[in-house]
Amino acid sequence: MSHRRIPKRKAVLAGAGAVGIAAAAVLLPHANASQSGSGSGPEADPRTLSAAAAQDLVSELGPQLGDAYAGAYYDAQKQQVVVNVVGDSNSVIVQVNETGAVARPVENSMGQLKAAADTLAEKAAVPGTAWAVDPRTNQLLVTADRTVAGDGWNRLESTVKSLGSGMARIQKSAGVFKPFLEGGDAIFGGGSRCSLGFNVTTGDGQPGFLTAGHCGVADDQWSEDPNGAPIGTVQAATFPGEGDFALVTYDDPATVAPGTVDLGNGQTLDIVGADDAAVGQEVFRMGSTTGLNSGQVTGLNATVNYPEGTVTGLIQTNVCAEPGDSGGALFTRDGAAIGLTSGGSGDCTSGGETFFQPVTTALAAVGAEITTGDGGDGGGAADQGQGQQQDGQDQGQGEQDGQDQGQGEQDGQDQQQDGQNQQDGQDQQQGGFDGT
């Protein structure tokens, strides 16, 4: 049988999804800045870093600081890394500042915050609650949805108070925490609808994809259409427990699955690899129900108590999502795969909290590698405004679905969709998708 290319996905962009796309368009100016500052001493100016470079710095610096390290976050406005440190050792502050990060003395160590989270898990694992470390406040942020009341609320509140002043704080959510199962590229199984996250290659060379674990336990076979012929079979699924992820392998081993994410409106973004999330980082989510939406990472190593059970090790964000978005891709504008949509509260009208399975953890657990796009180093994200390659069409043509995408601009400039002119004449590179 000849190689089969997965058909290009079409996102459903009505209603709240369109709002998210408009919001993404506001963020068009490229967030990645060149590094500056000498970083040669404790008094040196902090370095200006992209979010990806900031995560790399934190990954190296955290283990070096040992017990003095109390978390870090990315200040997107200043494009700086802020590193929390405990203790009165001036040498640690000097060490942090010499790297170009900003050292910030705090009271709570990571060990103390972890112990507090363990206490919550033991005494207050009430369905409808969640908690994650918020390095910006050096506290645990505890969230309770609208179902938490009566004895459950009293138990949660008293447990938080027992942790001591300044260790944790509670916020109420207007929505209800639930897995977003029903309803991105859409996949169907067992009467449920989910979203495909990222295509991968398994350890033995098979093509497959990642999606949410609660999708993987809902059915063992998934198709591209409701009641359609299966295209993939679940090989591993975790939910609830230590994550929310599933590996599905394509039934046809000759399947050619692209290393891209569908952005809607005929645009795709090349995936350049998988990376860990950083608090304060700008991220984008794609799902079949609500399309493209953006926001920030607000917490790491989050614990969520769904009605179906407790899930640990998640990324917390303020990116909206709705049922059917489960398993969908969370990524950066330059093409780094970050997470898989798990669940949360609210919707894309009122907002809410959302949680994602880290892609790096899922890949390690199932022994797979992320499938990357043709751009390799992100170059495929440089021309998102141009016509995309579809079923053998020339990508340099700019002709999609019979519409003229061109304004005649070549020479490295990206063309916007719908025939609009270039914004300020700037080249929309490295994933600067217009989202219109």
Side-chain angles (χ1 to χ4, degrees):
M1 181 177 180
S2 61
H3 284 282
R4 173 176 177 271
R5 181 170 294 277
I6 299 301
K8 185 171 180 61
R9 296 168 278 176
K10 294 183 180 179
V12 179
L13 303 178
V19 174
I21 290 177
V26 174
L27 303 174
L28 275 173
H30 196 348
N32 288 359
S34 61
Q35 299 181 4
S36 63
S38 64
S40 60
E43 301 302 324
D45 291 336
R47 294 164 63 192
T48 298
L49 299 169
S50 69
Q55 180 58 42
D56 290 341
L57 175 59
V58 171
S59 298
E60 295 176 1
L61 190 57
Q64 294 175 11
L65 298 180
D67 293 340
Y69 177 70
Y73 63 95
Y74 182 62
D75 187 330
Q77 184 174 6
K78 295 181 179 179
Q79 295 181 308
Q80 296 173 356
V81 179
V82 180
V83 178
N84 294 336
V85 295
V86 294
D88 54 4
S89 173
N90 187 62
S91 64
V92 172
I93 295 177
V94 170
Q95 182 180 356
V96 171
N97 289 345
E98 283 182 338
T99 68
V102 178
R104 174 180 176 239
V106 295
E107 294 294 327
N108 300 322
S109 69
M110 288 301 292
Q112 291 172 315
L113 292 168
K114 183 181 183 302
D118 291 342
T119 299
L120 286 168
E122 179 183 356
K123 298 181 178 180
V126 179
T129 60
W131 48 82
V133 174
D134 181 1
R136 290 169 295 190
T137 62
N138 188 226
Q139 293 179 323
L140 285 178
L141 175 59
V142 182
T143 306
D145 72 18
R146 68 168 182 255
T147 68
V148 181
D151 292 341
W153 171 260
N154 293 336
R155 179 150 55 106
L156 179 66
E157 190 175 39
S158 63
T159 303
V160 168
K161 288 182 178 179
S162 73
L163 300 176
S165 175
M167 185 61 68
R169 71 186 192 280
I170 301 177
Q171 69 176 12
K172 291 285 288 183
S173 172
V176 176
F177 289 147
K178 58 185 180 296
F180 291 132
L181 174 67
E182 59 180 291
D185 217 48
I187 53 175
F188 301 85
S192 300
R193 186 173 84 172
C194 285
S195 297
L196 186 151
F198 300 97
N199 282 314
V200 299
T201 302
T202 66
D204 57 2
Q206 295 186 70
F209 62 85
L210 295 177
T211 188
H214 63 268
C215 300
V217 301
D219 197 9
D220 60 357
Q221 289 192 310
W222 290 81
S223 64
E224 294 177 285
D225 303 294
N227 302 315
I231 62 166
T233 301
V234 176
Q235 302 299 326
T238 297
F239 179 84
E242 297 180 357
D244 185 1
F245 58 90
L247 170 66
V248 182
T249 55
Y250 290 105
D251 293 338
D252 181 358
T255 296
V256 178
T260 57
V261 171
D262 184 4
L263 303 177
N265 288 340
Q267 296 189 38
T268 61
L269 176 70
D270 280 343
I271 294 301
V272 299
D275 205 352
D276 296 321
V279 172
Q281 181 180 25
E282 174 197 49
V283 285
F284 297 84
R285 180 197 56 74
M286 188 65 188
S288 64
T289 302
T290 58
L292 182 66
N293 288 274
S294 65
Q296 285 189 337
V297 176
T298 59
L300 301 177
N301 198 26
T303 295
V304 187
N305 296 294
Y306 293 126
E308 295 84 354
T310 298
V311 180
T312 61
L314 302 183
I315 302 166
Q316 184 169 343
T317 80
N318 58 13
V319 186
C320 73
E322 296 182 7
D325 289 329
S326 278
L330 183 74
F331 53 95
T332 66
R333 68 169 59 241
D334 56 357
I338 299 295
L340 308 166
T341 306
S342 173
S345 67
D347 53 39
C348 286
T349 300
S350 61
E353 300 78 24
T354 47
F355 301 93
F356 297 82
Q357 165 67 44
V359 167
T360 52
T361 305
L363 290 171
V366 301
E369 294 184 356
I370 203 79
T371 302
T372 57
D374 294 335
D377 63 353
D383 298 306
Q384 292 299 326
Q386 294 182 1
Q388 303 295 319
Q389 183 177 16
Q390 296 188 26
D391 301 324
Q393 292 182 351
D394 182 10
Q395 194 167 18
Q397 291 178 358
E399 186 73 24
Q400 294 189 18
D401 301 324
Q403 296 180 352
D404 180 16
Q405 300 295 323
Q407 294 294 322
E409 289 292 329
Q410 299 294 329
D411 303 323
Q413 291 185 347
D414 292 330
Q415 297 184 15
Q416 292 187 346
Q417 297 295 322
D418 302 323
Q420 293 181 352
N421 292 326
Q422 289 289 333
Q423 290 190 349
D424 301 325
Q426 294 179 345
D427 184 22
Q428 303 301 324
Q429 293 186 348
Q430 298 294 331
F433 38 84
D434 60 30
T436 55

